[in-house]
Every structure is written in structure tokens, then in C-alpha cells.
């Protein structure tokens, strides 16, 4: 019962953030309707996928006005690849983080590790090891890079290297690119960057 309202008002409590890969997933939490049309577009994407699976890396730039179905097209591609062994790496850029180029990658690594605000330092360190174990990366080589990206204080073993800002950036980019190459050795990778203009 609230003053000034004739009938009772429903109250809701926020329990936490919902984990989603993209804004498209957040906007469509339930099952999507059947994908209709766009036969040539989906066909072209599937052709490129076959070439990529064969070892010929491919890049496709999907561009258009907001709301025309770019994300739905990518979602339809992912549905068609469901039967094939592959890894989807989906990064969602945002106007709220336009000054942080690595933000989408940090978010994906955090989701992969299943970090929770309730995690203590020990739990975060345990979950952090899953990031390194995924593709068999050497903790002594890359652990400090990931720890720095994720703002984790894991002690001297993962202390950031003493490098200039430019050297550090180059090392981060090299480490992240190598992570994709390691992923591609396990299975073909569908690497999607949404709203890259941000």
C-alpha cells in the first residue's frame, strides 16, 4: 500500500545480474520464432564456415541499421552449427565501455571463470586456474597477463611484468591472439564481435 495510489503496488527485489552473452540474448530471454528468409545471407555464412573449418580463416563483416536482424542472423548461424563441434567466442561491445578496448574480453573471461561477487580471494584464484587450464596455457607465461586484465591480486607468482605501457599492450594482444589460436587447435572457432564500432 503506497500513499497516493488507489490499489496496492507490486514490489520487486533485484537478486543479481543475469548472465547473458550479448544484448540480443538479454532482449530475447525466451525461445525465438523460426528464422525465415535471409537464405542467401545464411548460405554465404555457411560457405565461409566450411572454408574456415578447412583451415582457410575467414572474416565476414555484417553491417546495417539497428534492428534489421544482424544479431538474429548470427544467432541463426549458431543454431545451424549446433551439431558441429566448434567454439563460439562472442564479444559484446558497449557505448558505456568505449574507453576500455579490452572490456568485452574481460567480461567473457569473467563469465568463463564464473566469477561471482561473493567469491573470496581463494575462490577467485581457484576459478582463475580454469581460464589457464582451458587451452593448456603456461601459468608462468600468461598468468600475470590474465590476472592484470581481471584485476586479480594473486600474489608474487602473478605479479604484472615491469614493462612500458606499449610493451604491456603488445603482450596482452599477443596473449589473447594466441588464446584464439589455441582454441582453434581444439575445434573451429566462430569469433563474433558485436557492435565493434564502440
Amino acid at each position: 500500500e503506497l500513499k497516493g495510489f488507489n490499489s496496492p503496488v507490486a514490489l520487486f527485489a533485484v537478486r543479481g545480474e543475469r548472465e547473458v552473452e550479448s544484448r540480443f540474448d538479454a532482449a530475447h530471454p525466451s525461445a525465438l520464432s523460426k528464422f525465415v528468409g535471409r537464405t542467401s545471407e545464411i548460405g554465404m555464412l555457411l560457405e565461409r564456415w566450411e572454408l574456415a573449418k578447412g583451415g582457410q580463416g575467414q572474416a565476414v563483416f555484417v553491417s546495417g541499421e539497428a534492428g534489421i536482424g544482424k544479431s538474429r542472423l548470427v544467432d541463426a548461424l549458431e543454431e545451424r552449427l549446433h551439431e558441429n563441434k566448434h567454439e563460439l567466442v562472442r564479444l559484446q561491445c558497449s557505448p558505456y565501455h568505449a574507453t576500455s578496448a579490452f572490456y568485452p574480453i574481460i567480461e567473457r573471461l569473467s563469465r568463463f571463470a564464473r566469477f561471482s561477487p561473493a567469491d573470496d580471494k581463494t575462490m577467485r584464484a581457484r576459478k582463475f586456474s580454469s581460464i589457464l587450464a582451458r587451452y593448456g596455457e603456461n601459468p608462468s607465461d600468461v598468468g600475470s597477463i590474465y590476472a592484470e586484465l581481471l584485476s586479480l591480486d594473486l600474489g608474487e607468482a602473478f605479479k604484472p611484468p615491469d614493462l612500458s605501457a606499449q610493451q604491456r599492450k603488445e603482450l596482452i594482444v599477443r596473449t589473447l591472439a594466441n588464446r584464439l589460436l589455441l582454441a582453434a587447435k581444439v575445434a573451429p572457432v566462430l569469433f563474433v564481435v558485436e557492435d565493434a564500432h564502440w
Side-chain angles (χ1 to χ4, degrees):
E1 300 278 338
L2 293 176
K3 184 179 178 181
F5 290 83
N6 295 332
S7 56
V9 175
L11 300 179
F12 299 90
V14 175
R15 293 189 310 216
E17 288 183 82
R18 188 169 47 137
E19 291 290 324
V20 293
E21 289 244 358
S22 69
R23 289 188 327 197
F24 182 77
D25 292 338
H28 304 90
S30 57
L32 295 168
S33 61
K34 184 179 175 190
F35 187 75
V36 179
R38 301 281 180 91
T39 308
S40 62
E41 291 92 340
I42 202 76
M44 190 268 297
L45 290 174
L46 289 169
E47 285 174 13
R48 296 294 181 252
W49 177 251
E50 289 302 317
L51 290 170
K53 277 182 13 184
Q56 299 178 41
Q58 300 293 304
V60 178
F61 181 68
V62 180
S63 177
E65 296 297 317
I68 65 166
K70 298 180 298 293
S71 296
R72 181 64 174 107
L73 181 65
V74 171
D75 204 60
L77 173 64
E78 170 68 358
E79 286 171 15
R80 283 169 173 74
L81 301 181
H82 191 68
E83 302 286 317
N84 301 309
K85 183 180 178 188
H86 72 285
E87 181 165 353
L88 172 65
V89 176
R90 194 174 205 157
L91 304 180
Q92 177 67 63
C93 302
S94 163
Y96 304 110
H97 303 285
T99 59
S100 176
F102 295 119
Y103 179 80
I105 297 163
I106 293 165
E107 280 299 296
R108 182 168 199 288
L109 289 170
S110 296
R111 274 196 316 274
F112 176 77
R114 300 188 196 288
F115 287 145
S116 162
D119 292 345
D120 61 12
K121 188 175 180 178
T122 305
M123 179 58 77
R124 282 189 173 260
R126 191 175 306 133
K127 289 180 176 182
F128 174 74
S129 64
S130 69
I131 293 171
L132 301 174
R134 172 72 180 220
Y135 304 118
E137 291 172 288
N138 186 342
S140 62
D141 291 339
V142 299
S144 62
I145 300 301
Y146 291 123
E148 182 178 3
L149 275 173
L150 296 165
S151 301
L152 298 175
D153 179 10
L154 300 174
E156 289 298 312
F158 297 110
K159 185 180 176 191
D162 187 21
L163 301 170
S164 70
Q166 183 60 33
Q167 290 172 321
R168 178 174 275 117
K169 179 182 169 188
E170 288 171 7
L171 181 58
I172 290 171
V173 169
R174 196 167 48 248
T175 300
L176 294 173
N178 189 55
R179 185 173 180 84
L180 274 180
L181 294 173
L182 291 171
K185 288 182 179 179
V186 177
V189 175
L190 177 60
F191 182 67
V192 179
V193 180
E194 295 208 45
D195 297 323
H197 59 286
W198 295 117

